[in-house]
């Protein structure tokens, strides 16, 4: 791809890894504070570190990395960017960065210890919300740049389906833009006026509802780029085609439909929403599981085809014929394996009654560490190993391949130990989001930590291994970005592995966006119109939500 597009992608990935570095350091501190092994100085607060950890890793690392990946893949699959697309992408990048710096500064100043799920009644400095709004606006500008690039391609290739990578990028962007409407509305009309003191109170239920309208699809904004790697990159590494082009596209458009009208599954214990609407959104949540099951099916089929092509015999012989020594594959395979318990945990969370058991416990923290923290993050790590050398034209040397393997193994062990402990502690009843790590030495809490896997030591070991792993990754990133020798010989040149996808049987209507946007809006109206209008009509007395606006 063109040099200027490489530069754009590299800046995005560079910022992503700076956020990763600071975020994982906060994670390490977190583990030690929770185990009473570290006393913080008076000016630093547990919730401050927790907020920085969540914001920098879950929101900032992911977002910048995703755009770096999108930019590279769109330039590779649709051709180099034009000057306008490039300009908008840079503007988007700088606006997102400005928002990030503003929000981070507020966290460091101790003015925004409201966690990455920053909803009311917790209140931060108004500048924190302005920073977050800028982050969203920045991603919209970058998104519109990519949509513009796609539109030019479609104009020049009338009647043709776009390449799978581009199709999936546009699907993710459509979902993202619709999802953000919820958070943008609440930030602009509720949080900012409230935080700057222009209104006295806030309608908490309404603000949380608008937040979760965004909060759930946000997790698919992280997941879909990982799925893109699974569908488009993995088959190429395995030496086969995409298993089914239409299945891949269908699973993606199902995310546009079902990822948004489900936010109530985060609010199942909140009294302000009637059970009927909660139940309806629980049903829709079970619909959004379907495209993930389709993805799992598609992956197994891809592995079997590849394994048999390599001479694998019998029922499971193909499994041994996969390229296990190729770190680009092994990393992503382990990431997928983690998503089996991760997804199962999600199904438990979404089950109306079971949610009572796990809500607001450490189980949820375990859940997101084996969804975004492993399947998604480890897929991004697997991409990093070739993406940066591809962009910089440097070598990914043998020693770095070994380090990559160590990094992936340590990350897996660390996450396994830590998230298992978190899941178990949650089931025993340990609450999440608390600085009181020994729960004020409550006798029941002391018993929770007696278990082998729920022991303080296990958690601390898990967290420390994760930090070591993160530092190895940072070393690989710095080497491949700046220091590793340039790839001169053809055998050293790192390529972008993009699999061929047979579109000859793919129906054209799959790329008619108006169908999917129309259906998505319809489902959103069905799931949200009545409960939202109830909330607005019955805002608590004195609440200055939308009524004053
Ligand atoms: Fe979740 C809470 C429900 C998926 C992230 N989730 C969270 C929070 C986060 C998060 C961050 O219904 C906490 C928010 C907070 O701070 O309060 N989640 C679900 C459901 C799914 C799900 C139904 N979550 C994710 C993903 C995330 C993520 C993905 C990040 C990327 N989640 C919930 C609910 C809550 C929740 C409730 C609120 C709980 C509460 O009360 O607070 C589904 O999308 C999951 C479907 C996935 C599958 C798995 C398919 C498996 C595949 C792998 C195949 C493997 C292969 C390898 C091929 C059905 C595709 C083979 C290997 C071998 C070794 C055999």
């Amino acid at each position: 791809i063109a040099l200027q597009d490489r530069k754009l992608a590299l800046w995005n990935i560079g910022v992503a890894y700076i956020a990763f570095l600071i975020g994982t350091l906060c994670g390490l501190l977190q583990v030690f504070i929770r185990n009473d092994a570290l006393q913080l100085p008076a000016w630093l607060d547990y919730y401050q570190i927790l907020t920085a950890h969540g914001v920098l890793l879950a929101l900032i690392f992911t977002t910048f990395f995703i755009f770096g990946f999108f930019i590279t893949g769109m330039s590779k699959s649709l051709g180099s960017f034009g000057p306008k697309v490039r300009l908008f992408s840079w503007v988007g990048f700088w606006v997102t960065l400005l928002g990030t710096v503003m929000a981070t500064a507020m966290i460091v100043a101790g003015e925004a210890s409201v966690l990455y799920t920053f909803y009311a009644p917790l209140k931060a400095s108004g500048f924190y919300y302005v920073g977050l709004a800028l982050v969203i606006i920045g991603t919209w500008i970058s998104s519109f740049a990519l949509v513009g690039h796609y539109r030019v391609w479609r104009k020049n290739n009338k009647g043709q389906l776009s390449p799978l990578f581009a199709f999936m990028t546009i699907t993710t962007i459509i979902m993202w833009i619709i999802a953000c409407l919820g958070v943008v509305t609440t930030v602009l009309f509720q949080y900012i006026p409230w935080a700057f003191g222009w209104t006295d109170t806030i309608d908490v239920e309404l603000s949380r509802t608008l937040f979760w309208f965004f909060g759930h699809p946000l997790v698919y904004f992280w997941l879909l780029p990982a799925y893109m790697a699974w569908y488009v990159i993995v088959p190429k590494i395995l030496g086969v085609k995409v298993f089914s082009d239409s299945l891949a596209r269908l699973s993606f458009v199902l995310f546009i439909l079902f990822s948004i009208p489900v936010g109530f599954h985060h609010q199942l214990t909140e009294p302000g929403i009637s059970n009927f609407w909660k139940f309806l959104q629980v049903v829709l949540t079970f619909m959004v599981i379907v495209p993930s099951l389709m993805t799992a099916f598609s992956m197994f089929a891809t592995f079997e085809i590849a394994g048999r092509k390599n001479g694998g015999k019998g029922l499971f012989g193909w499994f041994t014929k996969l390229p296990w020594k190729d770190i680009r594959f092994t990393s992503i395979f382990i990431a997928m394996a983690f998503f089996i318990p991760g997804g199962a945990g999600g199904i438990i969370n979404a089950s109306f009654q079971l949610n009572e058991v796990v809500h607001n416990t450490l189980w949820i923290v375990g859940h997101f560490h084996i969804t975004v923290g492993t399947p998604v993050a480890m897929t991004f790590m697997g991409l990093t190993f070739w993406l940066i050398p591809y962009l910089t034209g440097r070598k990914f040397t043998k020693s770095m391949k070994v380090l990559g393997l160590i990094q992936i193994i340590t990350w897996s062990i660390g996450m396994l130990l830590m998230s298992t402990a978190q899941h178990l502690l949650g089931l025993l009843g340990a609450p999440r989001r608390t600085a009181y790590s020994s729960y004020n030495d409550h006798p029941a809490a002391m018993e929770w930590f007696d278990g082998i896997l729920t022991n303080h030591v296990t958690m601390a070991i898990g967290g420390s291994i994760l930090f070591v792993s993160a530092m190895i990754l940072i070393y690989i990133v710095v080497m491949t970005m700046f220091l590793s020798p340039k790839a001169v010989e053809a055998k050293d040149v790192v390529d972008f592995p993009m699999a061929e996808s047979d579109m000859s049987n793919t129906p054209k209507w799959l790329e008619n966006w108006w169908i999917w946007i129309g259906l998505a809006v319809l489902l959103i109206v069905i799931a949200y119109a009545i409960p939202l209008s109830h909330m607005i009509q019955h805002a608590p007395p004195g609440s200055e939500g939308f009524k004053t606006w």
Side-chain angles (χ1 to χ4, degrees):
I1 67 170
L3 202 64
Q4 294 103 314
D5 298 350
R6 285 172 196 252
K7 206 168 143 190
L8 194 51
L10 277 170
W11 271 86
N12 276 279
I13 296 171
V15 172
Y17 274 107
I18 293 172
F20 181 82
L21 176 65
I22 308 171
T24 44
L25 186 63
C26 294
L28 182 73
L29 295 178
Q30 208 76 32
V31 172
F32 283 107
I33 301 165
R34 283 200 70 84
N35 291 311
D36 280 339
L38 184 72
Q39 207 70 39
L40 285 181
W43 54 270
L44 196 59
D45 179 47
Y46 169 81
Y47 297 104
Q48 219 172 328
I49 296 180
L50 184 56
T51 308
H53 175 65
V55 168
L56 290 172
L57 289 179
L59 306 180
I60 303 303
F61 163 65
T62 49
T63 302
F64 278 100
F65 188 88
I66 288 166
F67 276 99
F69 181 48
F70 281 177
I71 288 164
T72 316
M74 288 294 266
S75 178
K76 165 97 180 156
S77 57
L78 301 185
S80 294
F81 290 179
K84 243 193 194 159
V85 173
R86 222 167 262 151
L87 176 71
F88 271 88
S89 299
W90 276 115
V91 174
F93 167 81
W94 285 112
V95 173
T96 315
L97 187 58
L98 178 68
T100 304
V101 171
M102 243 174 118
T104 312
M106 288 299 112
I107 300 171
V108 173
E111 297 287 328
S113 302
V114 292
L115 313 186
Y116 82 108
T117 48
F118 50 86
Y119 47 62
L122 295 179
K123 188 185 193 178
S125 150
F127 293 106
Y128 178 68
Y129 303 112
V130 173
L132 292 178
L134 285 175
V135 168
I136 303 272
I137 293 167
T139 64
W140 279 9
I141 299 171
S142 302
S143 297
F144 285 123
L146 292 172
V147 172
H149 188 50
Y150 165 81
R151 286 186 55 170
V152 171
W153 185 92
R154 286 207 86 185
K155 234 200 221 144
N156 296 335
N157 296 273
K158 278 223 157 64
Q160 279 185 44
L161 284 166
S162 62
L164 193 54
F165 190 99
F167 178 93
M168 292 176 155
T169 303
I170 299 300
T171 315
T172 313
I173 284 175
I174 290 175
M175 185 201 68
W176 176 243
I177 288 176
I178 304 176
C180 287
L181 295 174
V183 74
V184 166
T185 311
T186 183
V187 164
L188 289 187
F189 295 109
Q190 293 191 284
Y191 286 94
I192 290 181
W194 177 55
F196 282 116
W198 306 330
T199 55
D200 292 335
T201 56
I202 188 166
D203 183 340
V204 172
E205 188 62 63
L206 180 62
S207 70
R208 291 166 80 98
T209 302
L210 290 170
F211 177 87
W212 283 121
F213 176 100
F214 155 84
H216 195 70
L218 168 68
V219 314
Y220 298 120
F221 174 68
W222 304 328
L223 181 70
L224 293 192
Y227 274 8
M228 287 166 70
W230 300 8
Y231 276 112
V232 184
I233 312 291
V234 167
K236 178 73 179 182
I237 297 173
L238 297 178
V240 291
K241 284 188 197 164
V242 174
F243 167 66
S244 161
D245 185 79
S246 33
L247 181 145
R249 288 178 203 246
L250 181 64
S251 80
F252 263 61
V253 293
L254 290 179
F255 279 106
I256 301 186
L257 302 192
F258 295 113
S259 64
I260 301 166
V262 297
F264 284 168
H265 72 221
H266 290 265
Q267 300 175 274
L268 293 174
T269 54
E270 287 178 25
I273 306 160
S274 79
N275 280 341
F276 174 80
W277 298 109
K278 288 179 180 168
F279 182 70
L280 179 78
Q281 295 210 10
V282 160
V283 173
L284 290 169
T285 304
F286 275 77
M287 294 298 294
V288 81
I289 294 166
V290 174
S292 283
L293 295 175
M294 287 163 66
T295 305
F297 171 77
S298 191
M299 290 307 116
F300 277 112
T302 307
F303 297 156
E304 185 174 350
I305 291 169
R308 290 199 187 283
K309 200 176 147 196
N310 292 340
K313 297 262 170 349
L315 206 53
F316 294 113
W318 50 268
F319 195 72
T320 57
K321 298 285 178 190
L322 296 172
W324 297 111
K325 286 196 185 134
D326 188 337
I327 184 68
R328 297 171 306 167
F329 169 71
T330 319
S331 51
I332 296 190
F333 180 87
I334 302 174
M336 290 179 188
F338 266 94
F339 200 38
I340 294 177
I347 296 172
I348 291 170
N349 298 346
S351 306
F352 208 154
Q353 293 91 335
L354 290 182
N355 185 267
E356 292 283 319
V357 181
V358 295
H359 183 67
N360 270 349
T361 70
L362 272 182
W363 165 283
I364 303 298
V365 183
H367 168 66
F368 62 67
H369 280 97
I370 54 164
T371 46
V372 64
T374 323
V376 169
M378 205 190 272
T379 300
F380 291 179
M381 291 164 187
L383 293 177
T384 301
F385 296 145
W386 58 263
L387 189 56
I388 300 182
Y390 169 75
L391 291 168
T392 54
R394 292 182 189 275
K395 277 194 207 172
F396 190 57
T397 56
K398 239 191 182 147
S399 61
M400 250 172 322
K401 284 179 190 159
V402 176
L403 274 181
L405 194 66
I406 297 173
Q407 192 263 313
I408 290 301
I409 291 170
T410 42
W411 193 265
S412 311
I413 297 173
M415 274 297 176
L416 196 67
L417 289 177
M418 200 182 73
S419 74
T420 307
Q422 288 167 337
H423 275 95
L424 292 174
L425 281 165
L427 286 183
L428 294 171
R432 67 184 286 203
R433 299 186 180 114
T434 172
Y436 301 102
S437 53
S438 64
Y439 303 96
N440 275 345
D441 293 339
H442 191 283
M446 301 323 267
E447 279 176 26
W448 299 335
F449 297 107
D450 282 347
I452 298 172
L453 280 172
T454 55
N455 200 294
H456 279 306
V457 180
T458 318
M459 281 240 268
I461 293 176
S464 308
I465 295 177
L466 280 170
F467 184 69
V468 170
S469 177
M471 290 310 104
I472 300 175
L473 183 62
I474 292 290
Y475 173 78
I476 295 175
V477 168
V478 172
M479 288 303 284
T480 47
M481 237 186 219
F482 306 109
L483 299 171
S484 187
K486 284 271 179 193
V488 191
E489 290 174 54
K491 69 170 176 48
D492 291 330
V493 174
V494 176
D495 204 14
F496 188 126
M498 197 177 274
E500 204 186 307
S501 195
D502 179 3
M503 307 181 207
S504 52
N505 290 318
T506 307
K508 291 269 187 321
W509 49 262
L510 276 173
E511 198 154 353
N512 184 343
W513 301 113
W514 296 118
I515 300 180
W516 310 118
I517 295 174
L519 286 174
V521 171
L522 183 70
L523 283 169
I524 290 169
V525 169
I526 293 173
Y528 270 116
I530 296 178
L532 268 180
S533 72
H534 275 171
M535 280 176 209
I536 294 170
Q537 274 169 29
H538 304 289
S543 145
E544 314 252 318
F546 277 83
K547 281 192 160 173
T548 47
W549 282 83

